[in-house]
Amino acid sequence: MKKKVLSLMLAGAMTAALLAGCGGGDDAKDPAKDQQETPKEDEKPEDGAQKDDTQGDQEGQDSQAGGEIGGSLVIWEHTDQFTEPLKAVVAGFNEKYPDVEVEIEVKTSDQYYNLLQTAMQAGETPDVFWTNGLATTHYKSYVEGGYMMDLTDKVDFSLYEGTTAMNIVTMEDGSIYSTPTAETGGRCVYYNKDIFEELGLKIPASFDEFEAILAKIAETDYTPIAFCATDPWTVLFQFEPVLNGMSVDWVQDYEKNGTVKVNDERVVAAYNKMLEWADKGYYGNGYLGVDGSGALLAFSKGEAVMCIDGTWNVAVIDENNPDLNYGAFQVPTATGDQPMVGTNSCGYGVSADTENPDAALAFVNYFATVEAQTIWVNALSSIPCTPAVVSENPVANEIASFDYLTESYYNILGYLANPDADETATSVWEADQCKVFAGALGVQEFVDSLQSLLVE
Amino acid sequence: MKKKKKNRTHLFFIAPGFILYTVFMMIPLAFAFYYSFFDWSGIGPMKFIGLGNFTKLFTSPRVSATFFSALGNNFKYLACVMLIITPIQIFFAYILYIKVRFHKYIRFMLFLPYVISTSIVGFFAIVLFDPNVGALNEIIGNLFGKAHKLAWLGDPNLVFKIFVGVIIWQCIGSGMMIFYANMQEIPEEIVEASVIDGCGEWKRFWRVVLPMLTSSLKTNITLSVIYAMTMFDLPYVLVGPQGGATGKLDFINMVFYRFAFGGTYFGETSIGFGSAISVVMFVIIFILTLVTKKLLKKLDY
């Protein structure tokens, strides 16, 4: 009997030790984790509870509505790039709603959707969270799963009237579950003004002139264009302007008819042009070994004279090298037009199960105001999609001088998707895009595989 | 006659580990099998498709080509482990065993990289091999001019070699210490007897030391097989989740990752298909481990 009791005690001690080992993290507090942890229910301040001195006293009586709404709000963001703009918007929001305690959690890296879905399944969906709207299938599945609040009649979207901004968040039945942003996510050619002056170059007025500039730079020690072929998105952000420059009529065919062949000879010609540039050394010899940020760094450091990339990278380039004297233009067409491939940008949705719907709705409503979007666009140094929002960044304003907006090749792959196909063209595109530049897949074979997954 | 009461004390000791192992290993494994029969993004309704995910994995030209190319890379790496890395580990273990000059310093230097996390090792490699801002190209550019710079991680002919080189640098210490510990256990009488019998250094290694390393060889090879088939972290850090533009560093774990978790901005997640890949991976690793075990049995002295 004694032996049995002793055994039980030992086994119990072993279990306790095991469990203590597993749960040790709770005791050993990680300050970084503390920062990100959602406040527990009993720690949440009551509505209208006293906030810290700096915020509470400052704007406490500014707005009657603000005074009535309080509590805490957790916002999930997907990338560090949007952290500062979001913080700036939250600061503006807190001036109006001083009693709302907002906690921003940046779930960066490629785990964002995975973490969000886990939180949803665990019943711990953040009050407000970012999605990429209809650009991905996630938004639609969250809506269909009942995880997102219908904002159609709850948010004032009048700021976006007359723009295409709402396209990215409006479901087929017209309902809206997320706010867009006033940012146009475009593509442009960043160029080093000092090197252009040194080499006696001018902003090209036609596609031929653009190619002539590339050839002239290639004769020097500079790399004409910083490029990376390891990341499909960086490839896309160059391919689309090149396609526009060579055959803007291709995308115009789509805009006119609502359909187009993505394996059209004009598309193939644009890819082949980029491969030709690679062979001529216009990308340097390391483009298969760097990632997107590496390519941007090469431009920021002045090793490459140009870089064709997303317009949202102005802030990144400024951060890489604050002294860089650079500007931006669009890849011109043969006739001198400067079209810009532009996409709408998505903002934040609200959890259907939020415990603080008033504060969550107050936030998304504030996010849809001119004030908030001016803060957002300027913090990102990006291009506004509406004249109501004015950018203060000179490079952003240079980019904004394009002639007209055109649709994205990638978006067209999504719009023309065949719902009965085994795979989506966008996922095949993402998986195979880089293989074209690595020589593992022919251009025609690649675009044919995309076309086979679209509606005829 | 009174039946003798069985002593079941051991069950109390087994229970905690068994329960935790079941909860955290067996149940997720069972769920992975279950999910592999569904078309499911990880959220929303699950659609039962039977063996559809497995059929897609083996018959879809694009998916199967990606999967088998990645599997080929796993085996290629496994071959490197057997033919290059393990012999190097044994060589250095023997160097330490015969106590060459500065052997303590050599042991310290060889083992040091093993305590550095793989992410940091990957970062070191990028600092060295990045085509734009890497140290090697900086030196080559300064010495021989811009035209002589290499693509390094972007060069399909170099990337796997660089990867194996980095692994050798990082992991040589672990296997080496296992072999070294085993060598320490070789009875001195046997070694002395071989010396008296006129055995030279080379012959002693082949005829005496190596045959006595079977236990550590078995351990090392089994661990290497599992490690090779589950390779993920270093190639991910070096060239990203696609295995680089050329796919030369694409491994089956990364294929699983791409399908199961998708990308940040636009990627689509498919837990069902990802589970099917994980089930196939499980079967492959299981069979390989059994085969290895069977083959290694022949090494028994």
Side-chain angles (χ1 to χ4, degrees), chain A residues 221-242:
Chain A
D221 267 352
Y222 295 112
T223 301
I225 307 179
F227 179 57
C228 114
T230 58
D231 171 28
W233 306 106
T234 313
V235 174
L236 180 81
F237 302 145
Q238 177 164 147
F239 164 72
E240 289 178 335
V242 171

Side-chain angles (χ1 to χ4, degrees), chain B residues 4 9-10 30 54 58 64-66 70 105 112 132 146 166 195-196 220-222 228 232 244 247-248 261:
Chain B
K4 195 182 172 187
T9 312
H10 62 284
F54 295 96
F58 293 113
S64 62
T66 306
Y105 174 74
L112 188 65
N132 278 346
K146 182 187 145 190
V166 173
V195 174
I196 292 165
N220 227 26
I221 289 174
T222 309
F232 180 82
K248 293 282 179 186
F261 301 116

Side-chain angles (χ1 to χ4, degrees), chain A residues 215-334:
Chain A
K216 193 167 179 186
I217 298 170
E219 290 167 5
T220 69
D221 267 352
Y222 295 112
T223 301
I225 307 179
F227 179 57
C228 114
T230 58
D231 171 28
W233 306 106
T234 313
V235 174
L236 180 81
F237 302 145
Q238 177 164 147
F239 164 72
E240 289 178 335
V242 171
L243 175 62
N244 257 359
M246 291 178 71
S247 313
V248 73
D249 54 331
W250 178 85
V251 72
Q252 285 167 339
D253 280 354
Y254 169 77
E255 287 164 351
K256 192 174 153 194
N257 306 321
T259 186
V260 71
K261 296 279 183 198
V262 299
N263 59 347
D264 188 287
E265 59 185 13
R266 291 167 288 184
V267 173
V268 175
Y271 272 119
N272 283 332
K273 179 60 74 182
M274 288 174 70
L275 289 170
E276 181 191 320
W277 290 351
D279 287 342
K280 286 180 174 174
Y282 293 176
Y283 301 141
N285 49 9
Y287 68 95
L288 285 170
V290 290
D291 59 11
S293 53
L296 216 52
L297 192 62
F299 170 73
S300 308
K301 279 180 69 184
E303 286 180 6
V305 185
M306 291 183 276
C307 182
I308 307 180
D309 211 323
T311 54
W312 52 88
N313 281 315
V314 172
V316 179
I317 296 170
D318 287 344
E319 197 179 311
N320 283 347
N321 183 0
D323 300 326
L324 188 71
N325 181 18
Y326 72 106
F329 60 86
Q330 295 299 328
V331 175
T333 65

Side-chain angles (χ1 to χ4, degrees), chain A residues 10-308:
Chain A
L10 279 170
M14 200 168 82
T15 313
L18 266 171
L19 292 173
C22 294
D26 287 343
D27 295 332
K29 289 233 172 191
D30 177 354
K33 193 182 165 194
D34 277 357
Q35 253 186 346
Q36 291 198 338
E37 264 177 4
T38 310
K40 285 176 186 151
E41 193 51 39
D42 54 359
E43 290 169 1
K44 287 182 181 176
E46 293 296 318
D47 283 7
Q50 191 70 36
K51 281 263 304 158
D52 64 86
D53 293 340
T54 49
Q55 283 182 329
D57 294 340
Q58 195 181 1
E59 294 284 347
Q61 291 85 33
D62 251 25
S63 154
Q64 276 192 335
E68 290 161 9
I69 297 173
S72 65
L73 209 56
V74 175
I75 303 177
W76 275 25
E77 175 42 59
H78 76 297
T79 170
D80 282 333
Q81 200 185 350
F82 288 168
T83 310
E84 289 309 316
L86 181 57
K87 277 183 184 169
V89 170
V90 167
F93 171 72
N94 273 145
E95 283 181 14
K96 290 198 160 36
Y97 299 93
D99 294 333
V100 181
E101 189 183 349
V102 180
E103 189 176 353
I104 298 169
E105 294 185 21
V106 181
K107 307 288 181 189
T108 187
S109 88
D110 43 7
Q111 287 295 304
Y112 178 78
Y113 282 121
N114 190 30
L115 291 169
L116 183 61
Q117 287 182 193
T118 308
M120 285 174 169
Q121 284 164 333
E124 290 176 3
T125 315
D127 302 295
V128 176
F129 54 91
W130 176 90
T131 69
N132 206 12
L134 292 168
T136 68
T137 54
H138 301 98
Y139 175 67
K140 206 175 166 190
S141 13
Y142 301 159
V143 170
E144 285 168 355
Y147 294 100
M148 296 184 79
M149 186 187 286
D150 188 347
L151 304 179
T152 316
D153 301 318
K154 297 188 177 86
V155 175
D156 177 10
F157 292 113
S158 57
L159 170 65
Y160 302 107
E161 275 170 18
T163 74
T164 55
M166 296 306 293
N167 291 354
I168 198 161
V169 291
T170 310
M171 303 288 287
E172 282 168 13
D173 63 359
S175 54
I176 300 159
Y177 291 82
S178 176
T179 62
T181 76
E183 180 206 357
T184 296
R187 297 84 169 98
C188 67
V189 185
Y190 296 107
Y191 72 104
N192 187 314
K193 287 184 173 175
D194 291 339
I195 301 177
F196 257 54
E197 198 179 323
E198 180 192 328
L199 302 177
L201 303 172
K202 284 183 180 167
I203 293 175
S206 68
F207 192 79
D208 287 344
E209 276 188 35
F210 182 64
E211 274 205 281
I213 284 176
L214 293 175
K216 193 167 179 186
I217 298 170
E219 290 167 5
T220 69
D221 267 352
Y222 295 112
T223 301
I225 307 179
F227 179 57
C228 114
T230 58
D231 171 28
W233 306 106
T234 313
V235 174
L236 180 81
F237 302 145
Q238 177 164 147
F239 164 72
E240 289 178 335
V242 171
L243 175 62
N244 257 359
M246 291 178 71
S247 313
V248 73
D249 54 331
W250 178 85
V251 72
Q252 285 167 339
D253 280 354
Y254 169 77
E255 287 164 351
K256 192 174 153 194
N257 306 321
T259 186
V260 71
K261 296 279 183 198
V262 299
N263 59 347
D264 188 287
E265 59 185 13
R266 291 167 288 184
V267 173
V268 175
Y271 272 119
N272 283 332
K273 179 60 74 182
M274 288 174 70
L275 289 170
E276 181 191 320
W277 290 351
D279 287 342
K280 286 180 174 174
Y282 293 176
Y283 301 141
N285 49 9
Y287 68 95
L288 285 170
V290 290
D291 59 11
S293 53
L296 216 52
L297 192 62
F299 170 73
S300 308
K301 279 180 69 184
E303 286 180 6
V305 185
M306 291 183 276
C307 182
I308 307 180

